[in-house]
Amino acid sequence: MATFYDTHAHLDYPDYANDLSEVIARAQAAGIAKMISIGTSLRSSERAVRLAEKFPSVFAAVGWHPTEVMKAPDDLRPALREFASHPKVVAIGEIGLDYHHLPGSQGGNAEDDARYKQRQADIFQQQIEVAIEAGLNCIIHQRDAFDDTLAQLKPFAGKVRGVFHCFGEDAGRMRRVLEIGSLVSFTGIVTFKNGQNVRDTVAATALDKFMLETDCPYLAPVPYRGKRCEPAYVKDISEVVARVKGCSLEDLSAATCNTAAEYFRKL
Ligand SMILES: [Zn+2]
């Protein structure tokens, strides 16, 4: 059976509070040998680390999500540095910029928008710094903020890389990510009926420049669309990606697992 990794899962979310052991067992049975549980705040990062300590196949990323920055401490770095040295913490993430729901669209004004964006940029910057110090790569979340996110990461190309997770942009943008030494990863959106734009980007991305993920509990692939997602469904994602790439599951397994092992050194 071809082996795959789920490089982006929110296993600490309450969605799995009652059956996480079964969820992880199903992943193993489906050939999903390793999973990275992603931090979205210090508390969530702490939970991800605890899960990594409990389950051999689970690893952790630690970071503060851009949509949560108004709740972040002014200096996130000391706490993040402590997590980063843990043997099962493989990356800083998820971090980045998200302009999808700006305060201006919810009764705020232009000044509120500017303050929110500045705060996101500050928190993103702090986390890039910690990643460089710790020798870890980043897991990047961006929504409606592609240019700003790339621009903020670009000066550090050569020191740190980012994987632009849940990649839904076109091939031109994919190439701009690869140009700075970063990578992309694809979710169950590749299986959606209306996911042709993402399948086109997959087709254009070299086999050794992307990874696979679920972003569970979100984005369950076909045939589970609309239900709770879980790491086992990387199998369904891999089947569609292999078809789009015109390669065997074994080739896709070797390429994506090698890329992940090289990118997340402690994985
Ligand atoms: Zn996520």
Side-chain angles (χ1 to χ4, degrees), residues 246-258:
C247 70
S248 67
L249 279 175
E250 287 68 26
D251 289 344
L252 184 65
S253 162
T256 55
C257 292
N258 283 342

Side-chain angles (χ1 to χ4, degrees), residues 9 17-18 41 43 56 62 65-66 68 70 77 93 115 130 168-169 175 184 189 193-194 196 216 218 227 251:
N18 297 323
S41 66
R43 283 179 67 186
V62 296
H65 194 283
E68 302 297 314
M70 298 319 266
R77 290 168 294 190
R115 206 176 309 119
V130 174
E169 309 289 339
R175 288 187 196 101
V184 297
I189 295 174
K193 205 171 180 183
N194 61 1
Q196 190 55 47
C216 66
Y218 312 114
K227 305 213 172 86
D251 289 344

Side-chain angles (χ1 to χ4, degrees), residues 138-160:
C138 299
I139 296 168
I140 304 293
H141 168 103
Q142 74 78 23
R143 194 170 182 194
D144 299 341
F146 180 81
D147 288 335
D148 283 2
T149 306
L150 197 69
Q152 199 171 337
L153 195 59
K154 200 170 178 172
F156 305 101
K159 290 188 187 151
V160 68

Side-chain angles (χ1 to χ4, degrees), residues 167-171 186-204 222 225 240 243-245:
F167 200 72
E169 309 289 339
D170 63 17
F186 298 107
T187 61
I189 295 174
V190 299
T191 70
F192 292 1
K193 205 171 180 183
N194 61 1
Q196 190 55 47
N197 58 330
V198 181
R199 286 189 288 278
D200 291 345
T201 304
V202 170
V222 172
R225 201 170 172 186
V240 171
R243 205 177 314 138
V244 170
K245 296 304 293 175

Side-chain angles (χ1 to χ4, degrees), residues 8 10 94 165 215:
H8 196 114
H10 293 280
E94 59 186 299
H165 108 90
D215 200 16

Side-chain angles (χ1 to χ4, degrees), residues 124 128 137 140 146-164 173-184 209 263:
F124 186 23
I128 293 171
N137 285 318
I140 304 293
F146 180 81
D147 288 335
D148 283 2
T149 306
L150 197 69
Q152 199 171 337
L153 195 59
K154 200 170 178 172
F156 305 101
K159 290 188 187 151
V160 68
R161 303 196 286 157
V163 56
F164 282 59
R173 285 185 161 185
M174 174 273 290
R175 288 187 196 101
R176 289 168 62 197
V177 169
L178 301 193
E179 261 166 33
I180 64 163
S182 289
L183 297 174
V184 297
K209 296 295 181 194
Y263 188 82

